[in-house]
Amino acid sequence: MQPIIIVLIILVVLVFIALIKTIQVIPQASAAIVERFGRYTRTLNAGLNIVVPFIDTIRNRIDLREQVVPFPPQPVITQDNLVVNIDTVIYYQVTDARAATYEVASYIQAIEQLTVTTLRNIIGGMDLERTLTSREEINAALRGVLDEATGKWGIRVNRVELKAIEPPTSIQDSMEKQMRADRDKRAAILQAEGTRQSAILTAEGEKQSAILRAEGEAKAAALRAEGEAQAIRTVFESIHAGDPDQKLLSYQYLQMLPKIAEGDANKLWIVPSEIGDALKGLSGAFGNLGSGVPGFNTGKERREEPPVD
């Protein structure tokens, strides 16, 4: 009985292993290559699949999702004989699991080498300045070549990106110096323009201020002259209305003499010739006034002649 139990156990184990090998569960967005006696039979898609145990074998499981592969920096020579290091990133997707398994030994390595050779071919026709400013052009050209070459491998290249373009250190220093010089030049130009504009605005302001000041002074002088003329006209009319005589005018002239002599700077005082006439007029006026007042002495003594016998 004991050997029969052992045989039954062995049969159960074999059946269990056969069931495990018969039922194949493939995850979503994946595929599996099935070979029978070393020859391709079919491709298993996502879900539950049945294979013949010990006859059919799973050769390869492939992820059908979009993959991102960064490649290390590659030295590339530009048209002007400068070496630049370029990092690339490839976005690809497997569209045919059978072709990706049998058409190329390692599609990742094949894509990398194809990227390097294509990149050197494209950059070799550009100078450094164009290389640094034409990333979109390089990406489009590189994607077109890769997509065409990898189509027969069951690979679709969706996108190619240049992650970094690093020129030599000496070139970077020269570029930094040039950029710094350009920035200093632009700053100097802007400062000069600002100074010039400020000077123009200041001159315009001073011009307007001088014009307004001159107009104000002219109006003030005109108003002052008009006021003086009006005052003279009023005085003249008042004098003519009062009809003054020569004696009053002489008296007014003498009252103005102290004002003429005022001031510390008046060291020399010139007496006008008209002052004699004024004094004569005043003396005559006071003489006439004193003759009518009893006891008023005019400075002349009257001599009485003795009677003649």
Side-chain angles (χ1 to χ4, degrees):
M1 294 293 296
Q2 196 171 17
I4 296 174
I5 295 174
I6 295 174
V7 172
L8 290 175
I9 293 173
I10 293 173
L11 290 175
V12 171
V13 172
L14 291 175
V15 170
F16 183 75
I17 294 174
L19 289 175
I20 293 176
K21 288 184 172 292
T22 300
I23 300 173
Q24 296 291 332
V25 178
I26 306 300
Q28 183 66 33
S30 298
I33 301 299
V34 178
E35 292 181 351
R36 180 172 296 177
F37 301 115
R39 185 177 181 180
Y40 170 76
T41 302
R42 59 195 175 107
T43 301
L44 301 181
N45 295 320
L48 182 64
N49 295 273
I50 304 299
V51 297
V52 179
F54 305 109
I55 296 176
D56 294 340
T57 58
I58 303 298
R59 166 68 185 274
N60 191 13
R61 294 177 183 268
I62 298 177
D63 193 346
L64 300 179
R65 295 174 298 179
E66 186 174 6
Q67 305 292 321
V68 181
V69 179
F71 295 143
Q74 299 293 330
V76 181
I77 300 176
T78 61
Q79 188 178 12
D80 46 359
N81 296 325
L82 294 175
V83 180
V84 294
N85 293 323
I86 300 180
D87 296 352
T88 55
V89 179
I90 304 296
Y91 296 81
Y92 73 93
Q93 186 176 9
V94 177
T95 58
D96 188 351
R98 177 182 176 280
T101 302
Y102 296 105
E103 295 296 333
V104 62
S106 176
Y107 56 83
I108 297 296
Q109 186 177 2
I111 292 175
E112 180 180 1
Q113 296 302 319
L114 183 60
T115 301
V116 172
T117 54
T118 306
L119 192 61
R120 288 176 178 174
N121 186 25
I122 296 173
I123 300 300
M126 298 181 177
D127 56 8
L128 179 60
E129 184 176 358
R130 185 181 174 189
T131 300
L132 296 174
T133 58
S134 303
R135 292 198 177 196
E136 292 296 331
E137 181 181 353
I138 297 172
N139 293 339
L142 190 59
R143 179 185 177 277
V145 174
L146 290 176
D147 196 23
E148 181 180 359
T150 58
K152 63 180 181 178
W153 300 340
I155 306 294
R156 182 176 68 245
V157 177
N158 296 326
R159 192 173 180 182
V160 180
E161 291 291 339
L162 299 183
K163 188 167 62 175
I165 301 177
E166 298 179 357
T169 305
S170 58
I171 300 299
Q172 291 183 7
D173 296 338
S174 300
M175 293 173 62
E176 290 178 359
K177 291 179 180 179
Q178 182 179 0
M179 293 176 61
R180 191 180 303 112
D182 291 338
R183 286 195 298 268
D184 294 341
K185 178 182 177 182
R186 288 195 297 268
I189 292 174
L190 291 176
Q191 185 176 2
E193 287 291 337
T195 304
R196 175 175 172 271
Q197 190 67 22
S198 176
I200 291 174
L201 293 177
T202 302
E204 288 290 338
E206 293 178 353
K207 176 183 176 182
Q208 294 294 331
S209 177
I211 292 174
L212 294 176
R213 191 182 302 110
E215 292 178 354
E217 292 177 356
K219 291 181 179 180
L223 292 175
R224 188 164 48 250
E226 184 178 355
E228 292 177 356
Q230 184 66 29
I232 293 173
R233 191 179 303 111
T234 302
V235 172
F236 184 77
E237 291 176 355
S238 300
I239 291 173
H240 280 274
D243 192 17
D245 56 0
Q246 183 66 30
K247 298 175 183 179
L248 178 61
L249 294 177
S250 299
Y251 178 72
Q252 292 292 331
Y253 187 82
L254 288 177
Q255 284 184 336
M256 292 300 298
L257 289 179
K259 295 183 179 180
I260 297 175
E262 287 180 356
D264 298 334
N266 294 331
K267 304 298 182 182
L268 180 62
W269 185 31
I270 299 175
V271 178
S273 60
E274 290 81 359
I275 194 170
D277 297 335
L279 293 175
K280 290 179 181 180
L282 287 176
S283 62
F286 283 110
N288 294 331
L289 182 63
S291 62
V293 179
F296 181 79
N297 186 10
T298 60
K300 295 182 179 181
E301 297 180 356
R302 180 178 296 178
R303 297 178 61 185
E304 296 180 359
E305 294 291 336
V308 178
D309 293 334

